[in-house]
Amino acid sequence: MTGRTPTGAGPWPYAVWALTRAWLLACVFKVVTVPGPDVTVDVSAIYRSWYEVLLTGTFPLDDVTWQYPPGAALAILSPALLPFWEYATAFFVLVLVCDALVLGLLLYAGRRPGTRTAGAWVWVVGVPLLGPTVYARYDLMVTAVAVAALLAGVRRPRALGALAAFGALLKGWPALLLVGVRKGRPTRAAWASAALSAAGLAAAFALWMPGAFGFLAFQRDRGTEIESLGALVFHLARRFGWEGRVELRYGSVEFVGPQVELVSALALGLAALALGWLLLWRLRARRFAARTPAEAAFTAVLLFTVTSRVISPQYVVWLVGLAAVCLVFRGAAMTLPAVLVLVAAGVTLLEFPIGFGHVVASDAWGVTLLFVRNGLLVAASLIAARRLWRSTVPGRPGGEAAVSAVGGQPSRVAR
């Protein structure tokens, strides 16, 4: 896992990738049956119905399950690139292509001085741990954009900014890639590029199709999804006579009943606290290495994932991708959080789709799976935050030597 080039790594990353992805394809094409709900329905039914609406020149404004920024239309329409295949088949193939591109980027990045192929191995192993769900959602496509942004940003902050803006218009969270850019000229370049790209793309979508930002109202009305951290309160409460129920709302299974709004509000409060911590870290940070943008993005996405009202299984692929970029760099501080995320990915497969019936029923097995998965993500978040702080914030007053991201040369910076 520590080879410096794809050649030095030998054929093993490719071989393991090919075998595991063959299994994922067998699952989504139903050659192999995974217990639990059919995860491909989202593509064959929901995505396909959105595709038909988008082809008419408008967003699916009458469907409250449309919860995505306007750039998501590009992912939903992408199977049109392969018109000789049925919609779902084309979608799965395109996700496979994005998966392969991520592997190629990580292996190529492992050729640079001070890097390694451990990041590629995180991706090779982490994606199949999530099971077929990872190929039946468009989140892997978004993750590919995020990985490309962080790797390009090591030398080209403007490229990071443009790709982060594009990713944010696909699914929102890639905006967090900007939080760890080295202060000074790189930050100005990346943030200006992101602002211009986002403005241009948003204007293009608004002019292209009406209702580009109608999704914001649907997101505002979401409740507490049964796989989220806050949902554990109601899973336990159901065992003691809580009068609420489980409903399919806004495209996910949510709790409805007494105190749900309170828990949802508390989740938003925790997200606000996470944002406050990130802003404080940004103000205090002084040491920025080549790996810092990736480690800051990984930490930020972890924090906002665990505080979210929704932790869908496919969200974990975001964390796998960011963890992979972190471990591309030698001396990475995020090895333990990355391992915890990989374990959480395996538990996520047990929770959904395999054990989803137990989760919906709030029985002992379902609650245990959620407690373990969410506990791993919380632990990864806290450890990542602590390590990010310790590696970037000087521990005592006065000037300290810091390592810049350009050339690795030390420079004096004041507190």
Side-chain angles (χ1 to χ4, degrees):
M1 290 180 63
T2 58
R4 291 186 59 183
T5 69
T7 302
W12 293 110
Y14 305 102
V16 177
W17 182 89
L19 287 172
T20 54
R21 275 45 176 191
W23 175 72
L24 288 176
L25 288 175
C27 291
V28 294
F29 284 117
K30 301 180 182 178
V31 176
V32 174
T33 301
V34 175
D38 180 4
V39 301
T40 66
V41 170
D42 276 37
V43 176
S44 60
I46 299 175
Y47 284 14
R48 179 57 190 264
S49 67
W50 292 342
Y51 174 83
E52 298 292 344
V53 174
L54 290 166
L55 286 178
T56 67
T58 185
F59 287 91
L61 301 178
D62 295 329
D63 187 347
V64 296
T65 63
W66 177 258
Q67 298 275 326
Y68 309 109
L74 300 178
I76 303 302
L77 289 169
S78 63
L81 297 171
L82 304 174
F84 40 85
W85 278 329
E86 185 268 335
Y87 181 87
T89 300
F91 183 88
F92 299 144
V93 170
L94 289 171
V95 173
L96 175 70
V97 170
C98 291
D99 188 351
L101 288 173
V102 173
L103 176 64
L105 288 171
L106 292 168
L107 287 172
Y108 180 78
R111 298 174 57 186
R112 298 172 180 171
T115 61
R116 55 185 179 171
T117 58
W121 277 109
V122 169
W123 183 255
V124 168
V125 173
V127 169
L129 284 175
L130 286 166
T133 305
V134 76
Y135 268 31
R137 306 290 188 273
Y138 83 92
D139 294 80
L140 193 147
M141 297 177 174
V142 184
T143 304
V145 175
V147 170
L150 289 171
L151 293 177
V154 174
R155 297 178 179 176
R156 300 176 181 85
R158 287 186 178 85
L160 188 158
L163 288 170
F166 177 59
L169 284 172
L170 286 171
K171 196 140 191 184
W173 67 267
L176 295 171
L177 304 181
L178 298 168
V179 72
V181 180
R182 187 167 59 93
K183 293 179 180 179
R185 183 178 298 175
T187 287
R188 292 191 295 272
W191 291 13
S193 175
L196 291 173
S197 299
L201 290 169
F205 280 116
L207 293 172
W208 176 36
M209 291 191 291
F213 297 94
F215 75 98
L216 293 172
F218 299 152
Q219 280 286 351
R220 181 192 61 216
D221 295 335
R222 295 194 75 161
T224 297
E225 189 256 349
I226 66 169
E227 296 163 283
S228 65
L229 184 62
L232 286 170
V233 173
F234 300 112
H235 283 293
L236 295 174
R238 290 177 85 184
R239 305 176 68 84
F240 296 96
W242 179 67
E243 297 178 354
R245 61 191 185 278
V246 170
E247 285 187 4
L248 180 63
R249 302 173 73 243
Y250 301 101
S252 64
V253 182
E254 298 182 354
F255 280 116
V256 177
Q259 308 305 318
V260 172
E261 290 186 3
L262 174 61
V263 170
S264 296
L266 289 173
L268 291 174
L270 288 174
L273 287 175
L275 177 60
W277 183 89
L278 284 170
L279 292 174
L280 178 62
W281 168 80
R282 177 75 190 180
L283 290 171
R284 296 286 303 278
R286 294 292 183 270
R287 305 185 190 102
F288 286 79
R291 68 176 190 265
T292 302
E295 294 185 343
F298 179 51
T299 302
V301 175
L302 268 169
L303 289 171
F304 280 102
T305 298
V306 298
T307 59
S308 173
R309 293 171 293 172
V310 180
I311 306 182
S312 294
Q314 63 269 21
Y315 290 11
V316 182
V317 76
W318 312 345
L319 302 173
V320 171
L322 297 179
V325 179
C326 289
L327 266 63
V328 162
F329 301 98
R330 294 184 183 275
M334 297 295 165
T335 300
L336 178 55
V339 171
L340 293 175
V341 165
L342 291 180
V343 178
V347 179
T348 298
L349 173 59
L350 296 177
E351 175 260 311
F352 184 89
I354 294 174
F356 195 61
H358 297 281
V359 173
V360 173
S362 299
D363 65 20
W365 179 237
V367 173
T368 298
L369 288 174
L370 276 184
F371 183 84
V372 172
R373 195 281 300 272
N374 291 347
L376 287 166
L377 293 181
V378 170
S381 302
L382 297 176
I383 295 170
R386 181 171 182 268
R387 292 188 173 190
L388 178 66
W389 187 277
R390 293 183 64 182
S391 67
T392 57
V393 177
R396 60 182 183 275
E400 293 204 18
V403 178
S404 73
V406 181
Q409 298 299 317
S411 60
R412 301 296 296 183
V413 292
R415 279 288 301 267

